[in-house]
Amino acid sequence: DAGVIQSPRHEVTEMGQEVTLRCKPISGHNSLFWYRQTMMRGLELLIYFNNNVPIDDSGMPEDRFSAKMPNASFSTLKIQPSEPRDSAVYFCASSKVRERKQFFGPGTRLTVL
Amino acid sequence: AQSVSQHNHHVILSEAASLELGCNYSYGGTVNLFWYVQYPGQHLQLLLKYFSGDPLVKGIKGFEAEFIKSKFSFNLRKPSVQWSDTAEYFCAVNGGNTDKLIFGTGTRLQVFP
């Protein structure tokens, strides 16, 4: 069984550029979560979807961040324009709705210069 | 609002020592509790979870945790640690009618041979 798949695994970009992170949840899972992990703030939930619908985006830091889930097998997290303080590891996780056991992907390490 | 506190930020042990990592949460209703582990350079993996029933929960790799409702605690224990247990450990809580997990800031465990 493939786990949660994230791409790219590493991204280095310059301030002001657009960054798109991608996630493919586990087949059959209908909840998807985006997290950000930094040394200073730990693991923060940015947004989550149930059945492709955004349920809670209160963790999205500002308007530069946006997330979409056009279908059950794909989600994107976009940062435009990127800033150095966005440097972090971004994790995607999936679960079955109400099952509450989340499976994490390997993460995307983003560095904004 | 739900919150999770992990008071031990960094724990250093020798192999075969016993381990107990503290986790306290704040939420007045029914909760689901989790411990995740993140090995160096890897993604989060579920160690164990508590939903209901026996408050002593056994997980993978010899870990266990005890839910003490009166203390709002869910401490993680292992009687004898190994070098391979070196990792970061995260406690998480989920409560109410939401699928969100609220994570603690993590405890870094270093085990020396």
Side-chain angles (χ1 to χ4, degrees):
Chain A
D1 247 355
V4 176
I5 299 171
Q6 290 187 246
S7 64
R9 295 293 306 277
H10 301 273
E11 175 82 34
V12 180
T13 191
E14 292 187 341
M15 183 173 64
Q17 296 298 307
E18 177 180 295
V19 174
T20 300
L21 312 182
R22 296 172 178 79
C23 176
K24 177 178 168 53
I26 292 172
S27 178
H29 285 189
N30 42 14
S31 289
L32 185 139
F33 305 80
W34 281 102
Y35 291 90
R36 178 172 68 176
Q37 185 180 38
T38 61
M39 289 288 290
M40 294 299 294
R41 301 171 68 93
L43 199 62
E44 306 171 278
L45 177 68
L46 300 177
I47 185 172
Y48 83 94
F49 298 83
N50 280 352
N51 298 311
N52 313 339
V53 176
I55 302 300
D56 186 338
D57 65 354
S58 58
M60 294 287 262
E62 48 200 273
D63 291 346
R64 297 185 297 107
F65 285 69
S66 62
K68 293 182 180 178
M69 192 163 186
N71 58 61
S73 58
F74 183 65
S75 176
T76 58
L77 177 68
K78 187 177 290 188
I79 308 172
Q80 165 65 11
S82 58
E83 297 182 3
R85 61 192 167 122
D86 301 330
S87 297
V89 181
Y90 291 81
F91 288 102
C92 177
S94 72
S95 73
K96 294 182 180 178
V97 172
R98 298 289 177 235
E99 191 169 274
R100 286 151 192 195
K101 186 170 73 173
Q102 296 179 20
F103 294 81
F104 282 75
T108 295
R109 182 174 295 276
L110 173 65
T111 303
V112 183
L113 303 173
Chain B
Q2 301 168 36
S3 67
V4 179
S5 295
Q6 292 182 245
H7 303 293
N8 315 107
H9 297 297
H10 191 188
V11 173
I12 301 173
L13 294 174
S14 299
E15 274 192 320
S18 65
L19 170 72
E20 180 159 3
L21 301 182
C23 173
N24 288 90
Y25 66 91
S26 102
Y27 183 69
T30 302
V31 291
N32 303 305
L33 295 155
F34 305 80
W35 276 98
Y36 280 82
V37 60
Q38 186 177 28
Y39 297 103
Q42 296 189 27
H43 60 284
L44 277 79
Q45 303 170 45
L46 183 66
L47 262 185
L48 48 79
K49 64 186 186 300
Y50 171 80
F51 286 177
S52 63
D54 188 344
L56 185 61
V57 178
K58 295 198 183 295
I60 60 172
K61 305 189 182 189
F63 285 91
E64 65 179 31
E66 185 174 12
F67 171 51
I68 303 180
K69 189 174 181 180
S70 60
K71 294 184 178 180
F72 296 89
S73 70
F74 190 55
N75 291 355
L76 180 72
R77 300 194 292 247
K78 185 169 183 178
S80 176
V81 294
Q82 301 173 315
W83 175 78
S84 58
D85 293 325
T86 294
E88 190 146 14
Y89 293 81
F90 293 89
C91 181
V93 65
N94 159 264
N97 213 21
T98 173
D99 295 300
K100 287 169 65 167
L101 285 183
I102 306 299
F103 282 85
T105 50
T107 297
R108 182 179 296 273
L109 172 66
Q110 280 185 288
V111 180
F112 288 96

